[in-house]
């Protein structure tokens, strides 16, 4: 319990922050590995996951997530009581790590090539199951059954997709739309009408294929599993999984670049894909640039808020983080010690004796920059004739998508360039370029890496490119030089030890080849040491462990954050309590409460229409019934100006409080000013000039000059630019015109408001209630209060105002811990009197109310007002505070939108 001095949260050594928890988990895993190496394998009894035997509940924060390491005692020692079992990890990718070939009634399985397969081969920390498409059409049930059984031996689970859907999903939407766009190649341009028609069917196939993946994952999911979705093929999968089980741990990782928002916004389905990915708990990218582009796209396209942690949507946070992938370097280092690899190395050294070997290993793809690389090599030979018979380029071009016309054209283009260069610079005994359109086996590839002097990775755009990592891992003896494209993700990791180049600049690449070939042994040693240290410490094992650890930790933080989210309002209970009460008070916000749903505000094309807020037409009838009920008092309390409230509610029988309660009137009376005494508005002109300046330099922003405050709104401007301008505006206000004044700067989601200190809805409510009680001549105590609205955090003190009026024996919510507003009565009284100093002077228009300005002729009325204002007898079960479309709140309950407000008010109106 909070405040308990014996709580385990106060024990020494208990991690309190995300970083402390992750560091502790890292140390526990390291200890576990050392323990395994010293003590041998665990017994079979410990191989299966058992929550009862592998968890340690520490404190209230820790109890949300069992430890993934071993249990430790609280005596400060690091002694391990036992070894925790492995967590199950479901890796979901488009293709399985093995390829299946049918021979009669049996299946032959072979290891597949690919960066993801290479990266995850060394991951042994988890009990991993791999779920993916088999890559072949298996229409008959018997064939599916036998293939499933064969794959089960490899811990693989197949997803079977109909042939036509698979074709449109993979070859269509994935490879013809998403892949080119993510690599900055744009959308297909030819035959626009046909493309439009095809896009729709391909997109539908894409969603159906993702549904198939979700069905298989849900079937094999067990509680506690971590589901790790991979790549652009499965962007809808997080959404579908969360729809089936909201408690499922879901992470999504992209292995390609994520383009800038200006590129991504061209995609017709841009919003659907982003929203689906945001359903995941954790979204990962290789580099910070990709993560930044993703957050920017969510901000600019969806209108959501980007934070340092990720993307926030009305209180729901999707963490966005960077996880550079690695390889299993030991697999390559150990392969070099195998006899067959040594034999190949010896043969290659003899074959290329007297030559410096340049190497390129790429898929024969447009983004790999193979033509640019070969042209740069040609320019190097042109400018360095002394090297013409001393250097050779080995280009391994792995064929891919050979049936696609563009790839056939690329192959022909490469062959033409290679033939021309070999004809120009070759001889009878040798040629400068050895070009192979083939896939090499692992041992041969390791041997070629080992004898290479310079590796050329010149991708025009690449998610990561693990060829650079594999080359470094095999260069312990040769200390080869890596020339790396700055547009490859690996440049962020290996850039310090490699020579970074712009692959489009052929002259620069040619110059870099010369620099690498002439590099001193000392510099080669230093560069290799730097890269080798990174490759051997940032492994695929560490990559997977870090991602899953962050995913587990994200779940913990989401659970902690959910404690700040009120539960949904029990509408039926609120209506029933309303029907049973005798004197009700309804306090309603205006914007996003009685207006159209908040989502409509993100339609940036409706700026002119939305600047003028209007009450929902379907709310008018139930609201009018409530206002006409003699047992019900309705107060609309808003930050809007008086004209806005008059225009919307002038024909209702209710009370209006404008500009956060500074102005008040019954709709049958005149406006009165309730501003506290000694409040000056001399600051308005200086702040107004600042707001005018920032409005001029921020397109589509505007500011509103109210009688007691100024508001600058930038919701319709470019999201990122508006946020930067808002930051500059705040810095200028705090250090400039208001630095020495008693003013509050209130930040909204996309607005900045300046108002006098103490001007809040909570501070004004006691004065407002005093006037209402006096004006209506109430004799029966108020026994029901509903207070709801989309209020700013600073104005949520209105919730705590009523919390403090509840009987002392009634447990109050956490909102009662909010600082008491000026004039709030003390807790412990079921009918606490209202503040006496700031009651209103009825019948006077725009008059200041305060002790120094009281009319002595109103003494009798003033006393009767104070006596009437004490008529509040509120029980906890009759108080409903609700935030509308604002999940993180100090209120008791939550209403998701004005649609639910409509449902609630209609239910109450039925009892009038």
């Amino acid at each position: 319990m909070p405040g308990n001095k014996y709580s385990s949260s106060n024990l020494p050594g208990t991690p309190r922050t995300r970083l402390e928890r992750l560091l502790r988990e890292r140390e526990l895993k390291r200890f576990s590995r050392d323990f395994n190496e010293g003590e041998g394998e665990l017994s079979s009894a410990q191989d299966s996951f058992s929550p009862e035997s592998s968890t340690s509940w520490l404190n209230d924060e820790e109890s949300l997530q069992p430890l993934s390491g071993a249990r430790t005692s609280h005596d400060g020692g690091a002694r391990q009581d036992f070894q925790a079992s492995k967590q199950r990890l479901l890796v979901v990718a488009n293709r399985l790590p093995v390829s299946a070939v049918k021979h009669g009634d049996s299946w032959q399985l072979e290891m597949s090539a690919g960066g993801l397969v290479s990266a995850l081969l060394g991951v042994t920390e988890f009990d991993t199951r791999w779920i993916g498409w088999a890559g072949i059409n298996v229409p008959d049930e018997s064939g599916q059954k036998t293939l499933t059984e064969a794959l089960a031996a490899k811990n693989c689970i197949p997803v079977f997709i109909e042939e036509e859907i698979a074709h449109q999903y993979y070859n269509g939407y994935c490879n013809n739309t998403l892949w080119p766009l993510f690599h900055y190649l744009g959308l297909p341009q030819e035959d626009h009408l046909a493309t439009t028609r095809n896009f729709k069917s391909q997109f539908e196939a894409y969603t159906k294929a993702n549904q198939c993946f979700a069905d298989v994952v849900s079937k094999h999911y067990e509680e506690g599993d971590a589901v790790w979705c991979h790549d652009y093929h499965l962007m809808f999968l997080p959404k579908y999984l969360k729809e089936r089980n909201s408690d499922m741990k879901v992470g999504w990782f992209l292995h390609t670049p994520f383009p800038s928002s200006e590129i991504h916004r061209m995609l017709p389905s841009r919003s659907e894909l982003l929203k689906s990915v945001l359903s995941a708990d954790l979204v990962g990218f290789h580099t910070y640039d990709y993560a930044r582009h993703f957050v920017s796209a969510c901000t600019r396209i969806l209108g959501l808020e980007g934070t340092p942690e990720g993307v926030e949507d009305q209180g729901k946070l999707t963490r966005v983080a960077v996880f550079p992938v690695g390889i299993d370097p030991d697999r390559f280092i150990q392969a070099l010690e195998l006899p067959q690899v040594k034999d190949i190395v010896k043969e290659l050294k003899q074959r290329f004796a007297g030559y410096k070997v340049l190497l390129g290993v790429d898929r024969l793809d447009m983004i790999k920059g193979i033509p640019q690389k070969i042209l740069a090599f040609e320019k190097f030979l042109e400018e360095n004739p002394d090297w013409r018979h001393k250097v050779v380029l080995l280009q391994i071009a792995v064929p891919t998508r050979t049936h696609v016309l563009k790839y056939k054209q690329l192959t022909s283009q490469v062959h033409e360039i290679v033939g021309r260069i070999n004809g120009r610079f070759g001889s009878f005994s040798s040629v400068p370029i050895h070009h192979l359109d083939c896939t090499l086996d692992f041992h041969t590839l390791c041997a070629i890496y080992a004898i290479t002097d310079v590796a050329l990775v010149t991708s025009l755009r690449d998610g990561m490119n693990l060829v650079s990592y594999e080359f470094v891992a095999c260069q312990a003896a040769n200390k080869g030089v890596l020339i790396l494209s700055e547009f490859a993700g690996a440049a962020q990791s290996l850039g310090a030890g490699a020579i970074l180049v712009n692959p489009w600049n052929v002259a620069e690449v040619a110059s870099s080849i010369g620099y690498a070939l002439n590099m001193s042994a000392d510099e080669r040693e230093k560069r290799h040491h730097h890269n080798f240290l990174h490759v051997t410490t940032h492994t695929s094992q560490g990559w997977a462990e870090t991602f899953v650890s962050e995913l587990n930790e994200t779940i913990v933080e989401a659970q902690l954050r959910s404690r700040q989210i009120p539960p949904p309002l029990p509408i039926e209970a609120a209506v029933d309590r309303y029907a049973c009460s005798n004197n009700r008070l309804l306090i309603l916000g205006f914007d996003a409460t009685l207006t159209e749903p908040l989502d409509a505000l993100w339609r940036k094309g409706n700026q002119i229409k939305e600047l003028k807020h209007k009450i929902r037409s379907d709310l008018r009838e139930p609201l009018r019934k409530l206002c006409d009920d003699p047992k019900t008092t309705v107060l609309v309390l808003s930050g809007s100006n008086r004209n806005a409230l008059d225009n919307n509610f002038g024909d209702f029988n209710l009370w209006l409080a404008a500009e956060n309660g500074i102005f008040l009137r019954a709709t049958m009376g005149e406006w009165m000013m309730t501003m506290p005494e000694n409040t000056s508005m001399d600051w308005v002109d200086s702040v107004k000039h600042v707001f005018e300046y920032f409005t001029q330099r921020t397109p589509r922003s505007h500011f509103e000059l109210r009688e007691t405050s100024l508001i600058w709104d930038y919701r319709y401007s470019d999201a990122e630019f508006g946020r930067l301008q808002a930051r500059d505006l705040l810095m200028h206000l705090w250090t400039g015109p208001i630095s020495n004044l008693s003013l509050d700067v209130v930040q909204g989601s996309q607005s900045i408001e300046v108002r006098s200190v103490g001007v809040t809805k909570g501070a004004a409510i006691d004065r407002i209630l005093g006037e209402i009680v006096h004006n209506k001549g109430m004799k029966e105590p108020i026994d029901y209060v509903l207070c709801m609205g989309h209020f700013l955090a600073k104005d949520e003190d209105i919730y705590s105002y009523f919390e403090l009026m509840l009987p002392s024996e009634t447990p109050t919510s956490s909102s009662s811990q909010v600082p008491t507003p000026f004039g709030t009565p003390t807790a412990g009284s079921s009918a606490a009197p209202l503040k006496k100093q700031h009651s209103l002077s009825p019948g006077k228009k725009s008059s200041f109310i305060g002790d120094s300005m009281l009319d002595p002729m109103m003494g009798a009325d003033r006393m009767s007002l104070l006596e009437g204002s004490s008529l509040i007898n509120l029980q906890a079960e009759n108080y409903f505070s609700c935030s509308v479309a604002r999940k993180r709140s100090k209120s008791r309950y939550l209403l998701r939108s004005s649609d639910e407000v409509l449902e609630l008010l209609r239910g109450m109106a039925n009892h009038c």
Side-chain angles (χ1 to χ4, degrees):
M1 295 295 293
N4 185 351
K5 66 179 180 179
Y6 300 108
S7 171
S8 58
S9 63
N10 296 316
L11 293 170
T14 300
R16 301 294 304 173
T17 66
R18 154 187 284 275
L19 181 59
E20 289 176 355
R21 291 192 295 267
L22 290 172
L23 288 174
R24 183 200 53 180
E25 182 177 356
R26 186 184 183 96
E27 290 300 318
L28 290 175
K29 287 180 177 179
R30 184 180 299 170
F31 187 95
S32 300
R33 283 194 288 268
D34 294 342
F35 181 85
N36 276 339
E37 292 175 0
E39 300 295 331
E41 295 296 328
L42 295 174
S43 64
S44 59
Q46 293 174 306
D47 286 343
S48 61
F49 178 75
S50 174
E52 293 78 16
S53 64
S54 64
T55 59
S56 174
W57 309 106
L58 294 181
N59 54 40
D60 193 42
E61 183 176 352
E62 292 293 326
S63 65
L64 298 171
Q65 169 78 22
L67 295 178
S68 59
R71 179 181 295 145
T72 60
S73 61
H74 286 304
D75 58 4
R79 186 182 66 253
Q80 303 286 341
D81 293 328
F82 68 100
Q83 170 67 35
S85 54
K86 296 179 179 179
Q87 180 181 8
R88 273 202 5 149
L89 175 64
L90 303 183
V91 175
V92 191
N94 172 60
R95 292 293 295 269
L96 292 171
V98 293
S99 300
V101 180
K102 192 169 186 180
H103 294 281
D105 295 331
S106 61
W107 295 89
Q108 180 180 348
L109 305 179
E110 299 177 355
M111 185 63 64
S112 300
L116 179 58
V117 176
S118 300
L120 291 177
L121 280 177
V123 176
T124 59
E125 178 69 21
F126 308 100
D127 181 11
T128 305
R129 304 286 189 277
W130 195 303
I131 298 176
W133 178 37
I136 55 175
N137 182 40
V138 187
D140 58 297
E141 293 186 4
S142 60
Q144 293 181 4
K145 182 179 179 180
T146 56
L147 178 57
T148 301
E149 293 173 350
L151 290 171
K154 302 287 187 181
N155 284 336
C156 293
I157 302 168
V159 176
F160 297 104
I161 306 175
E162 296 180 11
E163 186 173 13
E164 178 59 25
I165 293 178
H167 171 70
Q168 293 202 55
Y169 147 71
Y170 182 71
N171 295 320
Y173 194 74
C174 289
N175 288 335
N176 195 45
T177 301
L178 292 181
W179 187 90
L181 189 78
F182 281 16
H183 288 86
Y184 291 80
L185 299 179
L187 295 174
Q189 298 297 315
E190 65 276 3
D191 192 5
H192 294 282
L193 293 177
T195 299
T196 303
R197 290 196 298 269
N198 288 338
F199 174 82
K200 182 177 180 181
S201 62
Q202 291 172 2
F203 182 72
E204 291 175 353
Y206 182 83
T207 58
K208 290 178 182 178
N210 275 248
Q211 287 279 13
C212 294
F213 277 88
D215 293 338
V216 176
V217 174
S218 300
K219 179 180 178 181
H220 292 85
Y221 173 80
E222 298 177 5
E223 186 176 357
D225 289 354
V227 182
W228 193 359
C229 311
H230 288 271
D231 233 353
Y232 59 93
H233 310 86
L234 302 175
M235 295 184 75
F236 270 102
L237 186 56
K239 173 187 174 183
Y240 293 151
L241 293 178
K242 286 291 188 177
E243 288 175 349
R244 288 166 166 78
N245 185 349
S246 60
D247 295 328
M248 190 180 296
K249 299 178 184 178
V250 179
W252 183 81
F253 193 92
L254 182 66
H255 292 269
T256 69
F258 192 90
S260 71
S261 59
E262 287 301 303
I263 299 295
H264 184 78
R265 71 191 304 177
M266 295 190 301
L267 191 64
S269 56
R270 58 193 187 181
S271 298
E272 296 95 320
L273 290 172
L274 290 175
K275 291 177 180 177
S276 299
V277 170
L278 288 176
S279 298
D281 300 295
L282 176 63
V283 176
F285 298 92
H286 285 308
T287 72
Y288 171 72
D289 286 344
Y290 306 157
R292 177 171 55 86
H293 290 160
F294 176 78
V295 173
S296 176
C298 294
T299 301
R300 293 172 180 267
I301 297 172
L302 301 182
L304 303 180
E305 181 179 358
T307 71
E309 290 292 309
V311 178
E312 187 169 357
D313 181 8
Q314 297 187 28
K316 195 269 184 183
L317 177 68
T318 300
R319 282 208 67 236
V320 178
V322 177
F323 305 93
V325 72
I327 62 171
D328 179 14
D330 291 340
R331 179 167 173 254
F332 292 86
I333 295 172
Q334 294 168 7
L336 295 178
E337 301 299 323
L338 297 175
Q340 60 265 44
V341 175
K342 290 183 177 180
D343 290 342
I344 300 174
V345 168
K346 182 179 180 181
E347 179 183 346
L348 290 173
K349 285 183 176 180
Q350 293 175 351
R351 171 67 180 82
F352 297 110
Y355 286 86
K356 291 289 186 179
V357 178
L358 277 60
L359 175 66
V361 179
D362 308 276
R363 283 186 297 108
L364 193 51
D365 206 322
M366 280 80 71
I367 66 164
K368 295 300 182 179
I370 297 177
Q372 289 80 0
K373 179 192 306 183
I374 298 175
L375 291 174
F377 181 62
E378 179 184 29
K379 186 170 185 62
F380 167 75
L381 295 178
E382 289 176 351
E383 297 176 348
N384 299 273
D386 294 342
W387 279 101
R388 289 181 183 175
H389 297 288
K390 299 178 182 178
V391 63
V392 62
L393 171 62
L394 302 182
Q395 178 59 55
I396 312 299
V398 180
T400 180
R401 302 187 69 191
T402 54
H403 61 285
V404 178
L405 178 60
K406 287 186 177 180
Y407 286 78
K408 292 180 180 178
Q409 293 173 345
L410 175 64
T411 302
S412 299
Q413 179 188 18
V414 170
H415 289 174
E416 179 183 348
I417 298 173
V418 170
R420 176 171 57 78
I421 296 174
N422 281 340
R424 180 182 178 188
F425 297 105
S427 64
F428 287 108
S429 59
S430 67
V431 291
I433 301 177
H434 291 244
H435 180 87
L436 299 177
D437 291 335
C438 67
T439 300
L440 299 181
D441 64 85
F442 175 69
H443 292 152
T444 302
L445 185 61
C446 290
I448 293 177
Y449 281 146
I451 60 99
T452 297
D453 296 289
V454 178
L456 285 165
V457 178
T458 58
S459 305
L460 305 181
R461 189 74 61 173
D462 222 342
M464 194 65 178
N465 196 299
L466 295 180
V467 168
S468 55
Y469 278 65
E470 296 171 358
F471 167 74
V472 171
C474 295
Q475 282 289 314
N478 206 35
K479 307 296 188 297
V481 180
L482 174 64
I483 297 178
L484 181 59
S485 166
E486 63 185 61
F487 299 114
Q492 304 292 326
S493 305
L494 304 179
I499 301 176
L500 294 184
V501 295
N502 178 357
W504 295 97
N505 190 334
V506 173
E508 179 185 349
V509 177
S511 176
S512 298
I513 292 174
Y515 181 77
L517 291 174
N518 293 291
M519 186 179 295
S520 66
D522 182 61
E523 184 178 352
R524 290 166 64 103
E525 173 73 32
K526 290 179 179 178
R527 286 179 177 270
H528 170 74
H529 175 75
H530 188 282
N531 284 344
F532 188 78
L533 183 63
H534 180 89
V535 169
T536 53
T537 54
H538 296 76
T539 64
S540 57
Q541 175 81 9
W543 169 67
E545 288 180 9
T546 301
F547 186 92
V548 177
S549 295
E550 290 278 0
L551 177 59
N552 290 329
E553 186 60 29
T554 298
I555 299 299
V556 174
E557 291 190 341
Q559 292 172 336
L560 292 173
R561 194 179 298 107
S562 67
R563 296 180 178 183
Q564 303 172 23
I565 300 177
L569 173 70
I571 294 180
E572 292 185 5
V575 172
D576 290 342
R577 299 307 303 176
Y578 172 87
C580 297
S581 55
N582 296 314
N583 192 4
R584 308 112 170 191
L585 174 63
L586 307 184
I587 303 175
L588 310 178
F590 177 43
D591 187 18
T593 303
L594 303 179
T595 60
E596 289 297 325
L598 188 65
D599 288 345
L601 297 178
W602 299 122
R603 298 179 195 143
K604 296 194 173 185
N606 294 333
Q607 177 176 357
I608 301 301
K609 184 177 180 180
E610 292 168 359
L611 286 176
K612 191 174 182 179
H613 296 303
K614 289 186 178 181
I615 183 176
R616 292 181 56 159
S617 57
D618 49 6
L619 262 173
R620 299 185 68 88
E621 181 180 353
L623 182 60
R624 192 177 302 278
K625 287 184 178 180
L626 293 171
C627 294
D628 294 339
D629 184 1
K631 293 184 177 181
T632 303
T633 301
V634 179
L635 167 67
V636 176
L637 178 56
S638 173
S640 300
N641 58 38
R642 290 184 285 177
N643 289 334
L645 297 186
D646 284 338
N647 293 336
N648 283 278
F649 303 100
D651 57 339
F652 289 86
N653 180 25
L654 46 68
W655 286 80
L656 299 175
E659 299 200 22
N660 302 303
I662 293 299
F663 296 100
L664 175 70
R665 83 172 179 106
T667 50
M668 304 302 293
E670 299 292 335
W671 283 103
M672 297 170 288
M673 180 176 282
T674 71
M675 182 175 290
E677 60 195 72
N678 302 324
T679 300
S680 171
M681 299 295 292
D682 296 339
W683 53 269
V684 171
D685 287 340
S686 59
V687 176
K688 177 184 175 183
H689 292 317
V690 176
F691 277 16
E692 287 177 341
Y693 171 71
F694 277 90
T695 299
Q696 291 174 358
R697 64 185 256 185
T698 310
R700 299 190 71 181
S701 69
H702 65 277
F703 82 95
E704 181 180 352
L705 175 61
R706 299 176 179 174
E707 295 181 66
T708 59
S709 65
L710 281 87
I711 297 178
W712 183 64
D713 192 311
Y714 60 95
R715 78 179 75 179
Y716 301 103
S717 64
D718 179 88
E720 292 188 9
F721 183 64
R723 188 163 54 246
L724 291 174
Q725 295 293 85
R727 184 181 63 185
D728 288 348
L729 172 57
L730 289 171
M731 292 297 295
H732 183 74
L733 289 175
W734 287 329
T735 60
I738 69 169
S739 57
N740 297 318
L741 299 178
S742 297
L743 297 176
D744 278 333
V745 179
V746 184
Q747 289 184 258
S749 59
Q750 290 181 309
S751 65
I752 295 174
E753 180 179 1
V754 179
R755 60 170 88 151
S756 297
V757 170
V759 177
T760 66
K761 293 178 172 65
I765 191 63
D766 62 328
R767 304 189 292 273
I768 294 172
L769 289 183
E771 177 63 23
I772 291 175
V773 170
H774 171 71
N775 183 278
K776 297 188 71 171
M778 287 185 183
K779 301 300 181 182
E780 191 170 1
I782 296 174
D783 59 352
Y784 180 95
V785 173
L786 168 68
C787 181
M788 65 178 179
H790 184 75
F791 300 138
L792 296 174
K794 192 170 188 65
D795 292 318
E796 288 194 341
D797 55 359
I798 191 173
Y799 300 143
S800 63
Y801 176 87
F802 291 100
E803 292 284 357
L804 294 174
M805 300 183 71
L806 301 177
S808 56
E809 65 271 14
T810 303
T812 59
S813 70
S814 60
S815 60
S816 62
Q817 301 173 10
V818 178
T820 305
F822 182 71
T824 302
T826 58
S829 171
S830 61
L834 296 173
K835 179 69 181 176
K836 300 181 180 181
Q837 183 177 359
H838 296 296
S839 52
L840 297 181
S841 175
K844 289 192 176 183
K845 182 177 181 181
S846 299
S847 58
F848 282 84
I849 304 300
D851 287 348
S852 62
M853 303 184 66
L854 288 177
D855 188 343
M857 298 299 294
M858 295 178 59
D861 289 341
R862 183 67 54 189
M863 290 302 297
S864 64
L865 181 152
L866 297 175
E867 292 174 359
S869 66
S870 64
L871 291 175
I872 293 183
N873 187 9
L874 189 61
Q875 302 298 319
E877 62 271 18
N878 276 7
Y879 174 51
F880 297 89
S881 59
C882 309
S883 61
V884 180
R886 187 183 181 90
K887 290 187 177 180
R888 300 180 70 175
S889 171
K890 300 167 185 174
S891 62
R892 288 188 164 201
Y893 303 104
L894 170 68
L895 289 170
R896 288 173 292 184
S897 69
S898 63
D899 292 333
E900 294 188 351
V901 173
L902 173 63
E903 179 184 353
L904 172 63
L905 296 186
R906 278 178 173 172
M908 291 179 170
N910 291 334
H911 292 278
C912 294

